[in-house]
């Protein structure tokens, strides 16, 4: 008998570290983490780390020969800014890597006669508003609106959402017998802010970078303009949304892809919140025209009413609580001892 496990790809990243910690606290199934990077946290008895590439087919075959994968949190990806520098490599990791895992999950679902849950984090980068006028007019964007991404990362995310829907609804639609198909569930995240990790390679990183720089008394130059506005969410809510969507009864889910968010801030409002707690912070605005254009195409806010209605989504941390109760106290402890 194979041991039933949860698989988390990209587990050494920002979300992965927080998710592994939460799942360990719940003490559910044993966890296999798969990441090209080593794990940064101390080993937990419930977690086995496999250091390797999601594109390594032999590694995935070895994994399913030993374990019955029950749920996959597929977090491994090359993020938006990094992906623009190496678009073809991003396509390999973000699309081919996801396709390989979906294929594995599809085969395993049929093999065991029970859907494998496939949880996929997408992003506001899946949206692409054509200009600032439209962005100002259409603030709270719904899932099916403005699906015209302008980055390789955004294209990858949008297409992988469609692949997930295909594998969960239409896979082998011409075969004599309908297979047991995987159970695909996807969240479109806003920019995420963690108190414990500093992001790298994303295009919403200016928010968390301001905060972490000010807490360390380091000067910071924001790569976007003062008026640039996007939605954000604190990391505990990102983890909460992943776990709640995973636990939601299938029959309640009317969609495969859900927006989730907490608060929307312009870059200058973000700076003012940082300065409220770190008044010595030296934050200036030195917009990078090209990265700015990417953020300008992202929505100012997300409409997450479908998630609220179908699986009771609501963030624990609004703007005030995010700064006052989660980010600032933990960041202070981290840098100021
Ligand atoms: N952080 C955000 O603000 C945000 C917002 C929206 C969506 N997301 C999505 O959430 C997921 C996790 O994001 P994150 O912020 O933790 O990113 P991250 O960059 O911190 O982590 C990604 C992890 O994937 C791993 N990885 C990359 N290529 C790999 C490969 N070929 N094989 C195995 N592992 C590989 C990296 O080593 C890294 O540990 C990603 O899919 C990202 O697109 C993140």
């Amino acid at each position: 008998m194979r041991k039933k496990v949860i698989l988390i790809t990209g587990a050494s990243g920002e979300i992965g570290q927080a998710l592994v910690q939460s799942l360990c606290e719940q003490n559910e199934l044993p966890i296999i983490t798969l990441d090209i990077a080593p794990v940064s946290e101390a080993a937990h008895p419930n977690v086995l780390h496999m250091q390797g590439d999601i594109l390594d087919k032999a590694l995935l075959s070895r994994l399913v020969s030993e374990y019955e994968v029950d749920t996959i949190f597929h977090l491994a990806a090359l993020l938006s800014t990094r992906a623009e520098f190496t678009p073809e490599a991003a396509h390999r990791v973000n699309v081919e890597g996801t396709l390989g895992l979906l294929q594995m999950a599809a085969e395993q679902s049929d093999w065991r006669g029970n859907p494998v849950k496939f949880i996929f984090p997408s992003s506001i980068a899946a949206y692409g508003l054509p200009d600032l006028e439209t962005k100002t007019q259409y603030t709270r964007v719904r899932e099916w609106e403005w699906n015209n991404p302008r980055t390789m990362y955004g294209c990858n995310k949008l297409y992988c959402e469609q692949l997930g829907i295909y594998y969960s609804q239409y896979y082998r639609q011409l075969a004599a017998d309908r297979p047991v198909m995987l159970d695909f569930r996807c969240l479109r995240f806003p920019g995420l802010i963690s108190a414990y990790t500093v992001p790298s390679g994303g295009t919403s990183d200016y928010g968390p970078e301001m905060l972490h720089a000010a807490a360390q008394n380091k000067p910071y130059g924001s790569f976007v303009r003062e008026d640039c506005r996007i939605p954000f969410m604190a990391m505990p809510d990102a983890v909460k949304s992943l776990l709640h969507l995973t636990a939601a009864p299938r029959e309640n889910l009317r969609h495969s892809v859900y927006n989730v968010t907490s608060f929307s801030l312009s870059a200058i409002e973000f700076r003012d919140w940082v300065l409220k707690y770190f008044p010595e912070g030296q934050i200036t605005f030195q917009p990078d025209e090209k990265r700015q254009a990417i953020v300008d195409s992202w929505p100012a806010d997300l409409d997450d009413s479908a998630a609220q209605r179908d699986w009771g989504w609501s963030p624990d941390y609004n703007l005030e609580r995010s700064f006052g109760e989660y980010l600032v106290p933990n960041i202070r402890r981290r840098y100021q001892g």
Side-chain angles (χ1 to χ4, degrees), residues 10 13-15 35-36 52-54 75-77 121-122 153 157 189-190 192:
E14 277 213 286
I15 303 180
D35 199 299
I36 210 150
D53 194 327
I54 53 164
L75 311 180
S122 185
Y153 173 76
K157 287 291 184 192
F189 281 137
L192 302 178

Side-chain angles (χ1 to χ4, degrees), residues 9-17 34-38 50-56 74-80 82 92-94 97 120-125 153 157 187-193 197-202 204-205 208 233 235 242:
T9 72
S12 307
E14 277 213 286
I15 303 180
Q17 291 179 42
L34 169 59
D35 199 299
I36 210 150
M50 296 174 90
Q51 193 171 341
D53 194 327
I54 53 164
L55 291 163
D56 182 347
H74 174 39
L75 311 180
L78 294 193
L79 270 54
S80 51
R82 196 163 292 162
R92 269 193 301 282
V93 174
N94 296 351
F120 182 66
S122 185
S123 157
I124 44 167
Y153 173 76
K157 287 291 184 192
L187 291 167
R188 283 203 191 138
F189 281 137
L192 302 178
I193 320 167
T197 47
V198 185
S200 68
S204 57
D205 295 356
M233 190 155 86
M235 191 57 81
L242 284 166

Side-chain angles (χ1 to χ4, degrees), residues 50-210:
M50 296 174 90
Q51 193 171 341
D53 194 327
I54 53 164
L55 291 163
D56 182 347
K57 290 266 159 59
L59 190 151
L60 294 187
S61 304
R62 218 168 50 241
L63 203 148
V64 294
S65 73
E66 277 182 56
Y67 300 100
E68 178 188 338
V69 178
D70 185 69
T71 304
I72 301 176
F73 292 93
H74 174 39
L75 311 180
L78 294 193
L79 270 54
S80 51
T81 297
R82 196 163 292 162
E84 274 325 287
F85 287 113
T86 55
E88 294 77 19
H91 190 278
R92 269 193 301 282
V93 174
N94 296 351
V95 175
E96 291 172 35
T98 303
L99 182 68
L101 283 153
L102 282 167
Q103 195 183 339
M104 177 192 103
E107 285 165 9
Q108 291 302 306
S109 298
D110 201 32
W111 180 262
R112 68 179 196 151
N114 191 11
V116 171
K117 276 188 189 165
F118 196 101
I119 315 300
F120 182 66
S122 185
S123 157
I124 44 167
Y127 295 105
L129 291 110
D131 47 50
L132 280 177
E133 201 186 335
T134 316
K135 175 165 171 160
T136 314
Q137 204 179 339
Y138 293 89
T139 43
R140 286 173 61 79
V141 169
R142 288 169 294 184
E143 286 83 351
W144 63 90
E145 297 175 317
W146 305 107
N147 288 170
N148 307 302
R150 60 174 282 160
T151 59
M152 175 54 94
Y153 173 76
C155 293
N156 295 164
K157 287 291 184 192
L158 192 60
Y159 177 57
C160 286
E161 293 175 5
Q162 295 299 315
L163 283 178
I165 293 169
Y166 169 80
Y167 274 96
S168 61
Q169 295 179 20
Y170 309 116
Y171 179 57
R172 293 206 184 132
Q173 56 190 308
L174 298 182
D177 297 319
R178 193 180 151 87
V180 174
M181 282 178 268
L182 59 83
D183 180 353
F184 178 76
R185 304 175 180 205
C186 169
L187 291 167
R188 283 203 191 138
F189 281 137
L192 302 178
I193 320 167
S194 167
Y196 303 104
T197 47
V198 185
S200 68
T203 315
S204 57
D205 295 356
Y206 60 89
E209 281 172 358
M210 275 184 204

